[in-house]
Amino acid sequence: MTLDELLHTETLPGKIELSQAELVRLIYKYKGLEKDFEREKSFWESTNKNLVIAYKSLDEKEHELNKAVSEINILSELDTILQRTPDIILKLDSDARVVFINDAIKKYGYNPKKNIEKSLCDIFDPCEKDEVRQWLKDQEEPGDGIYEFEAGMQSRSNPADSFTFLIRIEALYADNIQSRRAYTGFQAIARDITEKKTYETQLAKSISLLEATLESTADGILVVDKKGRWSNFNQKFIDIWSIPAYLQKTGEIKDGLDYVLDTIVDPEKFSAKVRALFSDAKTQSFDMVELKNGKVLECFTHPQKIGDKIVGRVWSFRDITKRLRIENELRERDKKLSDFSNQTEQFSLAAASIISIKDEQQVFNKIVLTKGTS
């Protein structure tokens, strides 16, 4: 079979199939270049193998590069978050000197770069500076590695402004060659709690004023929630009803109501009133209640609201026992004075009548008659 016949496949029998490599081998053999073929084959096989290794190496490097780019992107995002957080974040070395501080400190007029290598106590003014310094020193030995304290800071842009921070500082340790824990430094987060502290101060003042007002009033005050539990009361309420200590602690509606009803002369009437008030939370009410111990109370109740929402009910109890007794005594005195006035008037009329009589016997008879009618 000639080369021309090999090159024209239409002249080949149908069952003869040659690969490209076999065809090239025949061509080289036909031309007497079989050794050149083997040499070139070996070269290309080696080249292809090197190319495969090279491509594999490139794939690995590309994968590592993509991984590195991904990590850089993550670190960039983390850095963005770190710089934009409102909390001041610091990292300190083993001497408690700043090695990193984020941009949050700029809000207070500080340049982050100028605070590098400063101590924590140079930036903040801890109210327990000595304790903080001692704690920082103690962390050279592993122990309770977290500490929280409040500290102040003066604004650099406006010295009249001062801020309060809650600082949470944590000691950092790393494994050394001997696999023993080694102290490396600290990380700290300083959160501005100025508004919170202001709010807490105002709230404390409001609560103090409320408590002083409750305790200074002559009325017994009881505040109940929507379920009827005692949420607040003053000492006057305790005194008026003689509330035992165990009820002052629990404030449960059933125990409290049972105790109160047991002290009232007409418990059914009072119980019906309480049920009616629970069924209509908006209702106000004024009643008088007589206790078995002789006390008489004025009871006024009004719904407690926060905004437009009803959250409970306020009861006011005034002991009017003494007032009623005085009123009764005054009525008795007024009656006696009225009776005495009537008697005085009758005596005056009788005296005038006697004076007008000249005959002694008639005067005597008039007196006797007056005594008999009195």
Side-chain angles (χ1 to χ4, degrees):
M1 181 179 293
T2 64
L3 180 60
D4 291 335
E5 290 175 332
L6 289 172
L7 295 176
H8 296 81
T9 55
E10 66 273 7
T11 63
L12 295 174
K15 292 184 179 181
I16 296 177
E17 296 180 359
L18 295 174
S19 66
Q20 186 177 7
E22 291 173 327
L23 180 59
V24 171
R25 180 189 293 275
L26 286 173
I27 293 172
Y28 270 79
K29 186 175 182 181
Y30 179 77
K31 292 185 175 182
L33 301 172
E34 189 172 357
K35 291 181 179 180
D36 293 338
F37 172 77
E38 293 297 334
R39 185 172 59 254
E40 290 189 20
K41 177 186 175 185
S42 176
F43 168 77
W44 285 110
E45 285 178 350
S46 175
T47 301
N48 288 338
K49 184 177 180 181
N50 290 333
L51 285 174
V52 169
I53 293 172
Y55 276 116
K56 185 178 180 180
S57 177
L58 286 174
D59 287 341
E60 291 174 352
K61 291 185 180 298
E62 183 179 9
H63 176 72
E64 292 176 359
L65 180 62
N66 290 336
K67 184 179 178 181
V69 170
S70 177
E71 290 176 352
I72 290 171
N73 290 335
I74 292 173
L75 290 174
S76 178
E77 292 175 2
L78 290 175
D79 182 66
T80 300
I81 295 171
L82 189 65
Q83 296 297 351
R84 291 183 180 179
T85 182
D87 295 335
I88 298 175
I89 299 175
L90 311 98
K91 188 172 182 181
L92 315 173
D93 61 18
S94 57
D95 294 323
R97 298 284 174 179
V98 175
V99 294
F100 169 82
I101 187 168
N102 68 340
D103 288 343
I105 202 169
K106 290 181 178 179
K107 176 184 176 181
Y108 308 96
Y110 290 80
N111 185 331
K113 293 181 179 179
K114 291 184 178 181
N115 284 278
I116 300 298
E117 295 187 358
K118 287 187 176 182
S119 73
L120 191 67
C121 294
D122 290 334
I123 301 172
F124 299 96
D125 182 23
C127 55
E128 3 172 53
K129 182 173 289 188
D130 293 338
E131 288 83 350
V132 174
R133 291 185 187 278
Q134 185 60 47
W135 183 87
L136 292 172
K137 183 178 179 181
D138 290 345
Q139 300 318 298
E140 295 177 7
E141 294 294 331
D144 183 11
I146 298 177
Y147 185 61
E148 285 189 354
F149 61 97
E150 290 185 9
M153 175 192 285
Q154 295 295 126
S155 171
R156 283 291 179 85
S157 53
N158 187 358
D161 293 338
S162 60
F163 303 89
T164 304
F165 290 83
L166 176 64
I167 301 178
R168 187 177 191 273
I169 185 168
E170 180 179 1
L172 301 176
Y173 302 93
D175 291 336
N176 59 17
I177 299 174
Q178 289 79 23
S179 298
R180 296 174 61 185
R181 296 183 71 196
Y183 162 72
T184 60
F186 306 91
Q187 61 184 11
I189 298 177
R191 176 161 294 179
D192 189 341
I193 58 171
T194 308
E195 290 186 6
K196 179 175 178 289
K197 295 291 287 186
T198 302
Y199 170 78
E200 288 176 350
T201 301
Q202 293 174 347
L203 180 61
K205 288 182 179 179
S206 298
I207 292 174
S208 175
L209 178 61
L210 175 61
E211 289 178 347
T213 303
L214 282 175
E215 294 303 331
S216 64
T217 180
D219 297 341
I221 305 296
L222 171 66
V223 182
V224 298
D225 61 21
K226 293 184 71 174
K227 294 182 179 180
R229 288 189 296 262
W230 298 359
S231 59
N232 201 359
F233 48 80
N234 65 353
Q235 185 60 41
K236 194 67 178 179
F237 168 75
I238 301 300
D239 297 339
I240 288 175
W241 289 93
S242 301
I243 302 297
Y246 77 93
L247 278 179
Q248 298 176 35
K249 294 179 180 179
T250 61
E252 290 297 329
I253 176 173
K254 184 179 184 306
D255 295 339
L257 187 58
D258 287 347
Y259 175 83
V260 167
L261 291 176
D262 192 49
T263 65
I264 296 175
V265 173
D266 189 354
E268 290 297 327
K269 180 180 178 182
F270 189 79
S271 180
K273 171 63 71 174
V274 172
R275 288 195 300 269
L277 291 171
F278 267 105
S279 63
D280 186 1
K282 298 179 181 179
T283 303
Q284 300 182 35
S285 176
F286 178 81
D287 297 279
M288 293 181 65
V289 176
E290 185 178 355
L291 305 186
K292 293 177 181 179
N293 61 7
K295 288 182 180 179
V296 180
L297 307 179
E298 285 182 344
C299 302
F300 178 72
T301 180
H302 189 279
Q304 180 194 8
K305 292 183 177 181
I306 297 179
D308 295 330
K309 185 178 180 181
I310 295 176
V311 296
R313 179 170 291 277
V314 179
W315 290 80
S316 175
F317 303 97
R318 177 169 295 180
D319 187 348
I320 60 171
T321 309
K322 186 176 180 179
R323 190 186 79 190
L324 291 178
R325 185 176 65 252
I326 293 173
E327 289 176 354
N328 288 333
E329 291 175 354
L330 288 174
R331 279 194 293 269
E332 288 294 328
R333 188 185 67 177
D334 289 344
K335 184 177 182 304
K336 289 180 179 180
L337 287 173
S338 178
D339 292 344
F340 179 75
S341 177
N342 290 334
Q343 290 177 0
T344 302
E345 183 180 359
Q346 290 177 5
F347 179 78
S348 298
L349 291 172
S353 176
I354 291 171
I355 292 171
S356 64
I357 299 174
K358 296 181 179 179
D359 187 272
E360 292 181 358
Q361 184 62 41
Q362 288 182 350
V363 171
F364 177 78
N365 292 337
K366 188 71 173 178
I367 293 172
V368 171
L369 181 61
T370 303
K371 286 183 177 181
T373 58
S374 60

